[in-house]
Amino acid sequence: MSAPDPADLSAALLTAFQSRFNVSSDPAPSTEVPSQTKVLDSASYVASQAIDVFIDRTGVQAAARSLLSSIRRTPFTTASWSAHQLHPDPLDGSMTDSEIVKFIFVMDLLNFSFWSEDDEGFWVEWEGRRWSGYWSLVACLRRAKEEGMDVTDVAWWRGKGMATMRYVFGGGGGVRRKPKWLKDQERRGEIPGGVIGDGDGQIEPPDAGRRDEAGMHPASEDFESASLTEATDAEASISEAVGHGAHDEATTAAPEQSRGFPEGGEMQIELQAASGAPESRPTSKAEDEKTLVDEESASEQDDIDDDETIDGTEAKEMPMLRERLECLREARKVLIDKYDGDPVNLVQAARKSAGRLVNLLARDFSCFKDIHVYEGYKVRFQKRAQIFAADLWACFQGRVGSPGEFEDIERLTAFADYRIPQMLNTMGVLSYAPPVDARIRRSEMLNSGGSWEVQLRGCSVWAVELLKQEITRLSEDEGDPVELNAVLLDFHLYDTMKALETEAQSAVDEGRREGKILTNDIIPHHRTRSIWY
């Protein structure tokens, strides 16, 4: 029998474990990143302990038969991913493979929490269509790049603050107020994408004499160490949201309780180590922290809204805009420190392993470390880290030699988010205890990291695994086995749920226009505010 993993033991048992197995309390760190993510183990554990969310095995069998019929009619493949007009397509020549990796990295870095409190929701108009939810994010990125802003290169975000965020991610049909730096560039005839006119009609390379937003010429090594201040501050103030409230579901979480970065201690040590001063100019920790605060504050002060009068209604903000800025700042800092500023190097470091890529993201970026505590055990979901690997695989269709070539794509699980539990409940695979069901139907908040929310996520991931196993078994019994992984099954369930919800809402709206009173009987998705999904 192998020794248990110390990371999954409670603090009370750790000392006894170390004594029994002669394990040092300070083992030498391993530089090898494993390819096993432990997400499926976590989901299995949650499902085995859950008392408020249930997997119906009869429902699994019925849903598997229905899904197998769908697969027989139209096989689940990755082909539709790049076919969507908003997603990058490696075959159309509009972006290089490197540019596509950067696009998908920023897209999945910011891929969380799009629902709104009001009925209208957040939406963006681009190329003659309204886009909501996840697609509103992708449309914003596309729109910004079309306007000359290289927003999918994290280096572009140097010195940018909330005014830029409001402009890039503004929607709802209102007028987007341009940040002052952009108006100043336009008045000087400069290009918003990053190359800077020197005032004499000459164009400098992006890095030649590059100024910060206050007009200064900072030493690059000093400036690059200044990007993580707000993320670190936010982490320190709200890290306790994860792992708390496991039994406090009787009260609705305030927004502050369900946002931000995870567990403080371990991650803060990692972040402090990553943000140390350059070796060539040793400084104290206090001096480093002051530099971070001063330089980030200076750039934020210059990134302000232009003071011109807006003609019409001002654009609506995408939800959790401040948290998205914190993610961008942390990602820029970590990529510069560890991967020469380029997510392509991050992908290459995974050595064709989707699981290793997930673990690298969770190790190096606190905003990807989707780990929580349930019944005393650490459970891993890693939703956005997994979907980054999955999106690369789907975009490049696993092509040999491409950034989407992974030899272990089957290690990825379904993605623990809003839509999958909603679809599984609609299919009769998941059922909820009455208090949970009532809370969801009333569109009331569930605590991020709370017992009910963790059960929803863990049981959903495990239920999709059971569906995959049952579909495989049924197809083999029929003598015509299908090839299926959790990623493709998740993509199908997500798209089907969105289509069902849109169809049901369209019927309600049509009935309203005809003077009829119709109701949408589909259960809404659960509501949680967090950066995890």
Side-chain angles (χ1 to χ4, degrees):
M1 180 176 177
S2 60
D5 181 356
D8 292 330
L9 293 173
S10 67
L13 294 176
L14 184 56
T15 301
F17 169 84
Q18 291 167 345
S19 174
R20 170 67 179 83
F21 293 98
N22 195 28
V23 176
S24 167
S25 61
D26 243 346
S30 171
T31 57
E32 178 62 23
V33 177
S35 58
Q36 176 60 258
T37 68
K38 298 187 179 180
V39 174
L40 199 58
D41 293 341
S42 294
S44 175
Y45 171 74
V46 172
S48 72
Q49 300 297 311
I51 58 174
D52 302 296
V53 179
F54 318 98
I55 299 175
D56 187 324
R57 295 303 179 112
T58 302
V60 168
Q61 294 170 352
R65 286 191 291 271
S66 175
L67 288 166
L68 180 57
S69 296
S70 296
I71 294 171
R72 296 291 193 210
R73 291 191 301 271
T74 308
F76 299 171
T77 70
T78 59
S80 61
W81 197 97
S82 294
H84 195 285
Q85 70 182 93
L86 290 179
H87 277 159
D89 183 354
L91 301 180
D92 68 9
S94 62
M95 295 187 198
T96 66
D97 285 2
S98 176
E99 289 170 337
I100 289 174
V101 172
K102 291 179 179 180
F103 188 101
I104 294 175
F105 178 80
V106 171
M107 180 181 78
D108 288 330
L109 176 71
L110 306 180
N111 182 4
F112 56 85
S113 200
F114 300 104
W115 59 269
S116 299
E117 303 287 350
D118 56 67
D119 292 336
E120 183 183 14
F122 179 82
W123 54 271
V124 172
E125 189 165 339
W126 188 73
E127 291 199 340
R129 279 193 58 181
R130 284 190 179 187
W131 305 97
S132 60
Y134 157 76
W135 295 114
S136 67
L137 168 68
V138 190
C140 284
L141 297 177
R142 285 286 197 178
R143 180 181 64 188
K145 289 182 73 68
E146 191 176 73
E147 292 171 351
M149 292 177 285
D150 196 9
V151 293
T152 56
D153 185 342
V154 293
W156 184 87
W157 288 95
R158 188 183 70 135
K160 304 299 192 299
M162 284 300 291
T164 300
M165 293 293 290
R166 283 189 289 270
Y167 181 70
V168 171
F169 299 106
V175 179
R176 293 183 295 144
R177 185 186 294 275
K178 293 181 179 179
K180 185 176 181 298
W181 67 262
L182 180 56
K183 292 289 288 184
D184 290 344
Q185 280 193 348
E186 289 177 348
R187 281 191 282 265
R188 295 193 298 266
E190 294 170 359
I191 303 170
V195 290
I196 303 171
D198 65 2
D200 297 319
Q202 303 297 315
I203 298 295
E204 300 175 351
D207 292 320
R210 184 168 55 183
R211 298 170 175 81
D212 70 5
E213 304 308 330
M216 303 300 290
H217 297 258
S220 60
E221 62 179 8
D222 293 344
F223 190 89
E224 301 301 0
S225 69
S227 62
L228 196 53
T229 306
E230 280 203 55
T232 308
D233 290 345
E235 182 183 347
S237 63
I238 58 184
S239 61
E240 55 195 36
V242 175
H244 291 270
H247 302 287
D248 64 351
E249 302 293 355
T251 58
T252 300
E256 291 78 14
Q257 289 179 299
S258 55
R259 290 191 261 185
F261 300 92
E263 313 157 63
E266 175 185 350
M267 227 153 313
Q268 287 174 347
I269 293 172
E270 292 175 0
L271 293 179
Q272 288 165 3
S275 61
E279 292 182 7
S280 59
R281 188 179 59 82
T283 60
S284 68
K285 179 180 176 182
E287 289 173 328
D288 286 341
E289 292 176 349
K290 184 179 187 302
T291 299
L292 289 172
V293 172
D294 290 348
E295 292 184 350
E296 199 65 80
S297 298
S299 63
E300 179 102 12
Q301 289 169 6
D302 196 67
D303 189 84
I304 59 176
D305 294 316
D306 189 76
D307 56 6
E308 70 176 10
T309 302
I310 291 292
D311 184 16
T313 304
E314 194 156 348
K316 188 175 183 178
E317 285 188 16
M318 183 179 286
M320 297 189 75
L321 207 57
R322 169 66 66 177
E323 288 77 4
R324 295 179 205 277
L325 176 60
E326 291 165 1
C327 288
L328 283 163
R329 285 176 170 169
E330 185 200 9
R332 191 179 74 86
K333 176 67 172 66
V334 174
L335 284 176
I336 288 170
D337 281 355
K338 294 179 177 291
Y339 299 102
D340 200 26
D342 193 339
V344 172
N345 296 328
L346 166 66
V347 175
Q348 291 175 344
R351 306 196 307 276
K352 301 181 183 179
S353 168
R356 187 173 292 111
L357 179 57
V358 169
N359 288 334
L360 283 169
L361 285 163
R363 183 196 69 179
D364 294 340
F365 301 80
S366 68
C367 62
F368 276 108
K369 194 169 186 176
D370 186 2
I371 300 177
H372 308 269
V373 175
Y374 178 70
E375 297 298 327
Y377 281 75
K378 195 178 288 186
V379 293
R380 299 159 171 84
F381 294 127
Q382 318 293 35
K383 186 265 183 178
R384 284 170 32 252
Q386 287 203 99
I387 209 167
F388 175 54
D391 282 347
L392 287 174
W393 176 73
C395 177
F396 292 97
Q397 299 189 45
R399 189 177 74 243
V400 174
S402 76
E405 180 189 4
F406 295 113
E407 298 172 346
D408 61 349
I409 196 65
E410 73 282 350
R411 286 194 184 277
L412 302 187
T413 69
F415 313 123
D417 60 8
Y418 299 105
R419 294 298 178 184
I420 299 306
Q422 184 187 24
M423 184 63 195
L424 294 172
N425 178 267
T426 301
M427 298 174 73
V429 173
L430 279 191
S431 58
Y432 309 142
V436 180
D437 189 88
R439 177 77 69 88
I440 293 173
R441 291 184 185 277
R442 291 195 301 264
S443 296
E444 295 176 359
M445 293 281 286
L446 300 185
N447 293 355
S448 176
S451 176
W452 289 357
E453 191 251 3
V454 170
Q455 289 180 62
L456 279 167
R457 300 184 76 193
C459 288
S460 295
V461 171
W462 188 243
V464 172
E465 176 64 19
L466 295 178
L467 279 172
K468 186 191 74 172
Q469 293 175 7
E470 183 66 10
I471 291 169
T472 300
R473 186 190 67 79
L474 289 172
S475 69
E476 289 173 348
D477 288 349
E478 293 177 358
D480 185 13
V482 299
E483 291 188 10
L484 184 66
N485 59 42
V487 173
L488 293 174
L489 188 50
D490 181 283
F491 284 173
H492 176 78
L493 293 172
Y494 180 93
D495 291 344
T496 302
M497 187 66 250
K498 287 286 289 183
L500 286 174
E501 193 173 57
T502 300
E503 181 181 332
Q505 189 57 49
S506 296
V508 171
D509 294 341
E510 182 65 26
R512 187 181 295 118
R513 285 191 289 270
E514 296 176 359
K516 301 175 183 177
I517 300 177
L518 300 177
T519 58
N520 184 348
D521 292 330
I522 295 177
I523 191 170
H525 65 73
H526 68 278
R527 293 194 168 198
T528 296
R529 281 288 186 213
S530 78
I531 67 170
W532 309 125
Y533 59 98

